[in-house]
Amino acid sequence: MIKHAYWSRLLVIAAVAILSATILYPLLVLILFSVGIGANGISVSITAYQKAFTDPKTLVSIYNTFYVAGAVSILAILTGGGLAWMLTRTDLPGKRLFKGLIFIAYIIPSYVMAVSWIELLGRNGYVNRLLCGTWKWIDKPIDIYNLEGIILVMSIHLFPLVFITMSSAWRMNDLSLEKAARLSGAGPIKTIWTVSLPLILPSVLSIGLLIFQHTMACFGVAAVIALPTGNYILTTRIYSALNHLNLPIATASSIILLLCSGLVFGIYSLSLGKKKYINVSSRSEPPELHGLGKWRIPAALAVLAVLVITTVIPLGTIVVSSFLKQWGMDISLAGLTLNNYQIIFANGGMGLRAIRNSIVFGVAAASAACAIGVAVAWTVNRTAFKGRQLLEFTATWPVAIPGTVLAVAAILAWINPPFKLYGTPWILVITYVAACLPFAVRSVSGSLQGIDLELEHAARISGASRWRVFRDISLPIIGPGLKNGWIMSFLMVLREIPISILLYTAGFETIGVLLFSMRSDTGGLEAVSAVAVIIIAVTLGGNLLLERFGKSRMEGI
Amino acid sequence: MRIKRKGIVCSMILILVLLVGGCGGQPDNGSSPGNEAEKQAGSTEKAQITMYISGPEQMIADLEKAFEKERGDVLNILTMGCGPLAQKINTEAEAGNVQADIIWGAEPILYIQLQQKGLLEQYKSAEAANLKSELQMGDGYYTICNSRFGVIAYNKEKVSKEEIPSSWHDLIKENWKNRLAMADAGQSATALAITAGLLEVNGDSWSYIEDLKKNGVLLTKQNNEAIERVSTGEVDATIAPHDGILREIKKSKKSGVESKMALVWPKEGSLSIQRPIAIMADAGRSEAEQSVCQEFIDYVISSEAQTIMAKYGFIPVRADVAIPEGVPSNVKSINLDWQQVASQGKEIRSNFEKIMLAQ
Amino acid sequence: MLQAQLLNISKQFAGAEAVDNVSMDIFPGEILAVVGPSGCGKTTLLQLVAGLLKPDRGSIQVAGRTLSAAGEVLVPPEKRGIAMVFQNYALWPHYDVFANIAYPLRIKGYSRSKQKQTVEELLEAVRLKGMEGRYPHELSGGEQQRVALARALALNPLLLLLDESLSNLDAGLRKEMREEIKRIQRELSLTIIHVTHDQQEAMAIADRIAVMNEGKMVQVGAVEEVYRFPRTEFTARFMGDSNLLRLNKDSPAEMKLWEMARPKVIEGGGQPLQHTPEILTVRSEDIKLDDVPGQLTGEIVERIYHGSNIEYRLKFMDRILRVKTPADKFFEPGQQAGFTIEKATRVRADN
Ligand SMILES: Nc1ncnc2c1ncn2[C@@H]1O[C@H](COP(=O)(O)OP(=O)(O)O)[C@@H](O)[C@H]1O
Ligand SMILES: [Mg+2]
């Protein structure tokens, strides 16, 4: 590589500084506290770790966690990847509708999604009422309160993420490679299996890892679906320890979670090896679509069926519930009301304020995370600094940490002067940024790796400085990836609950706080559904607005 | 192409400016508490105290309004569940910089622990003399400001007349299999208290909890979730604090549907769970703030505040305030030794989790 | 005065020498073709010249300025005034043709109207008028290549580097573009380093040829000189259809051919070679066929038409010789033919 130019050194310093402040410093403080080095004096002890590691419940939780995360990753990849292929590579009809539905599935907060599935498949859920009661098709109600229930809900919640990532991977794929395989005598299925899939394997593994780690660290869904029947996962234990003032045990359990997550990361890195061969070159053609022939309509119906089950039905349930006088009641005209929306907006103006705050925080955190993501991805992929891989590793770390633990770490880190941010909205933004970074970095890094280096070289030759190359060439080309990362981050902030509740200050309530306060007995689940409907409406509205103003050529979602 | 991209950037900037502008414009509308908090940071003469509260929001709003009527905006209230409250206060304590002046809303267990850590300030309210004698505890480090009963709630549509439970022990009978819910003692401190109460009822034996597990009791993260599951027919009965049940019934009425839920005061006795309030030990408070804290404690146990809280189903701590509608006057109550529960808390939780952990 | 000078340039990748101690002079206004099989380090060499890679050793000077030296890039690529057309063209997919070509002008801060005018001139030069608004993926390979050339020319470079720029084109277009490049080069008196693995193309386009093998510069010289007087076995093989003859006492065929060729050796291209083992190389067109048996006689085993000439495989004892004749010389496979070697050159054996 060329010797580090002044500004690239600056960039690296900035990236290191920001990552240290948002991620490393709080986690370090947390770990120090957990072994007894904190504000209340130093009394080093690792008994918490011994306890956490030897508790037999931990083992069961680890097993459950791996089972759930593994199954969710596989299911989400199969569904999201399959849909991505159908929607980018074939002449399936109704693509716009399908894409819209998938996007909506991604907007629905996982917690609300879980609740709506309980409304459907719970012991007294609508579906069970129909199947067991009205139609008498089955004797025993379908049971959702188990690990498979989490798997169902989390897969539905996360498959859109796979869809978004893999759509761009499929799009980048050079079609001539597939044609070559066909000419070499491979049938269409064999071509996909032997050429197309291996080509996008790096993206698949990368997004699979993200989903695995994200699922491991999730709690909200587990709390309503698996906790009821005593199916504990690691995060259940972390929450339990935190609720009972046992910070060391909570931290130790988080460390176990991190180790598990690190293990998966290790396997991922090994299995990836040197397989980094996606290339956007100047010759990327507009993708040519596979004709489905007589399968066109059946395929569309199948896709529709999948999306109806995963998106339309839960969405419909949420929307209907938001107008019900009481959540889960029999649906009839007499049972409808606008009251739930009134409650949200009455609530001392908190509802509106929360929505506005969340949007502001979301825009700020997503933009910051994307900017840092670009700096990190650039450093890792385009410079020769020693230890640059560590940067990406650090930046993607928070995905494996439950929101509550991030929030607790943030409190510990930012409560005492001179770094007193606790009690100001800044601590929220910083912690959101930490939570968003993994998504931003992964998306940007993925698309940056995909750029043919020659495109950047050509610009340097044309007289552009490194900065201009970045601005004029790399940035626009990674634009779609960046946009995906931004949207993922933004939605993440919009739906986030635990960080919000622990870190908000009066006047800076967020949607998470609103969801929570509706959840506690002011509004009930019907008001929670109304909040979800508002989130969906705001996001869709914003997206439409953006699309109206600029439909970029190299489209993202 | 270039122009289009500029379009995106411009519209994004526009949205940002609008949003931030909207936010920046906030100080103009003086009613926002956040704005108050900012003002307070700059001026020393105005006292404002921070409270972490877990409880019904409407009730908190009513109390805040009444308390602030003469004093002006002196309360900076953050509402959260009792879980986050415990997490937040504990984390702040760990960091050696407690931000709250008053915490209110969890079970005595938390307060006992905080007191042991020396984080509570002693304040013996003059009003405390009016408390019922059995509620005079905490030696001024915390003050009981209302109490609730762990009881049984059932769904009238799902439970036949003959089946209506009358005692705790009815629930572990065969016919209740897969029809029960309760909050997880590992997740909720109130549930931990209830569990302790159930142990007490059962002569300190875990067999009752084991039988609940055998009956397939569904666990929830919080108590009101358990109540909600009865109200929606997801399960047929639950063990939960009575005030939440009453509020849920009331809420249904208000939205125009007849609640399917009814309440049982078990034969053996209802589990009495108190809710304390406490002032955090903090050297940094100004005199004015200190007196606001103390006034608030006085206020909360005054008959005015107790009357407000009774409207939300809580049992008043004073004999001179009527007990809420829907609570019989002769409730047999089972009282717990909180010091003991606090010292055994870890063990109770761990046993509970061990029993509930799916096989 | 030299336009560019490379001195002892070396570059390693993962321990292997991709470019190994290369020294080379480039004269103003010439086209120098660098040829070599693929993987021999040509692209690496160009990237070193362009400043996209840091040399491990050696120095690079262009127009009297030292650009890279002692393992450092002294002048970054954007300040070198060197243009390059990449092997894959490297057109920016998010820019249309106009924006691609105008990019260097934009960087230089040309006004919009000046950009427009220059781009128009360039488009005319590469025969792409009216394609300004197209995007790279809407162009054929040849068109993309010409856009890339136009973009490089927009820089008005001191040195133009072409990396296999014609390889992806079909034969007709390749010929056309070759002439185009030569024309433009003459008009603008450009200095060009043209890299290719195709020796025909190199000979057709270049004033001088540099032959590379395994990172090393094997021979540099005028086109004809390199062609006629290869100095190594590798050059001889690579530059044309040569028959290599070794002094091998165990092979009667080899000995007979050697005896026939030895007297015909011409010493050209400077000093005679003193290397052993000595190898003689005989071009296919330097063997004359006769329909009557001659001094030596072989059997025609294969005939290949090339249009203007015909190539034969001639079996002499246990050896097959390649022979090229004018199109009017006609032999049937199986026919006996006498042959004589008219010219031979001595080359150094590769080890
Ligand atoms: N970035 C790189 N990393 C490692 N090896 C490389 C790299 N670029 C080129 N090489 C190796 O250097 C040698 C020369 O490559 P190159 O200059 O591209 O050859 P050519 O252009 O002549 O085909 C090849 O063996 C190639 O594998
Ligand atoms: Mg090459």
Side-chain angles (χ1 to χ4, degrees), chain C residues 13-14 16-19 36-45 47 53 87 163-164 195:
Chain C
F13 283 123
E17 297 279 350
V19 167
S38 69
C40 73
K42 305 180 298 289
T43 300
T44 308
L45 185 70
Q47 294 199 336
L53 287 175
Q87 202 159 356
D163 190 357
E164 309 260 8
V195 149

Side-chain angles (χ1 to χ4, degrees), chain B residues 186-201:
Chain B
Q187 302 293 326
S188 153
T190 312
L192 186 69
I194 287 179
T195 307
L198 291 173
L199 286 176
E200 175 100 12
V201 170

Side-chain angles (χ1 to χ4, degrees), chain B residues 227-349:
Chain B
I227 297 169
E228 213 165 47
R229 293 200 172 179
V230 175
S231 151
T232 58
E234 185 69 11
V235 294
D236 300 349
T238 184
I239 302 168
H242 82 281
D243 58 300
I245 303 169
L246 290 180
R247 283 197 302 273
E248 179 73 20
I249 294 175
K250 218 172 184 177
K251 200 190 90 193
S252 302
K253 261 194 206 118
K254 222 166 109 191
S255 54
V257 280
E258 174 64 32
S259 173
K260 301 167 199 153
M261 211 164 31
L263 223 159
V264 171
W265 303 86
K267 268 201 312 240
E268 300 96 324
S270 305
L271 314 171
S272 176
I273 304 164
Q274 293 82 28
R275 284 164 60 89
I277 186 168
I279 303 176
M280 301 303 296
D282 182 359
R285 262 193 300 274
S286 73
E287 210 148 293
E289 285 164 346
Q290 187 68 15
S291 81
V292 172
C293 287
Q294 298 180 349
E295 277 171 45
F296 190 77
I297 305 288
D298 297 344
Y299 174 74
V300 165
I301 50 178
S302 72
S303 51
E304 181 189 338
Q306 289 293 314
T307 311
I308 294 176
M309 289 188 270
K311 269 203 308 199
Y312 288 90
F314 289 102
I315 312 286
V317 290
R318 305 166 64 111
D320 58 353
V321 175
I323 53 172
E325 208 182 310
V327 180
S329 53
N330 57 342
V331 178
K332 185 176 168 197
S333 95
I334 294 173
N335 293 312
L336 291 168
D337 177 353
W338 290 111
Q339 293 290 344
Q340 196 193 340
V341 174
S343 66
Q344 294 172 350
K346 232 184 227 169
E347 198 191 321
I348 295 175
R349 185 160 53 97

Side-chain angles (χ1 to χ4, degrees), chain C residues 193-304:
Chain C
I193 301 181
H194 176 88
V195 149
T196 175
H197 63 266
D198 178 347
Q199 93 284 2
Q200 298 284 356
E201 182 188 307
M203 288 189 285
I205 200 169
D207 303 313
R208 286 194 308 143
I209 286 187
V211 183
M212 258 184 106
N213 186 26
E214 290 175 352
K216 294 188 185 60
M217 203 47 86
V218 181
Q219 184 171 2
V220 186
V223 175
E224 211 203 35
E225 181 193 325
V226 173
Y227 182 77
R228 299 204 61 82
F229 304 112
R231 305 182 70 184
T232 68
E233 185 185 340
F234 174 81
T235 313
R237 276 183 201 281
F238 194 76
M239 288 307 296
D241 317 311
S242 296
N243 299 289
L244 293 178
L245 309 177
R246 271 165 239 267
L247 186 59
N248 184 348
K249 303 214 160 63
D250 299 334
S251 160
E254 208 75 20
M255 287 306 293
K256 284 214 165 94
L257 290 170
W258 177 271
E259 275 164 21
M260 184 177 209
R262 190 66 190 85
K264 302 291 169 67
V265 167
I266 4 172
E267 308 286 357
Q271 321 89 318
L273 285 157
Q274 299 301 333
H275 303 279
T276 46
E278 197 174 55
I279 293 182
L280 298 185
T281 162
V282 181
R283 304 205 155 281
S284 55
E285 62 265 33
D286 290 339
I287 298 180
K288 260 234 153 62
L289 287 184
D290 237 318
D291 18 14
V292 292
Q295 187 185 355
L296 291 177
T297 305
E299 182 191 337
I300 304 284
V301 287
E302 200 186 345
R303 183 174 65 200
I304 304 155

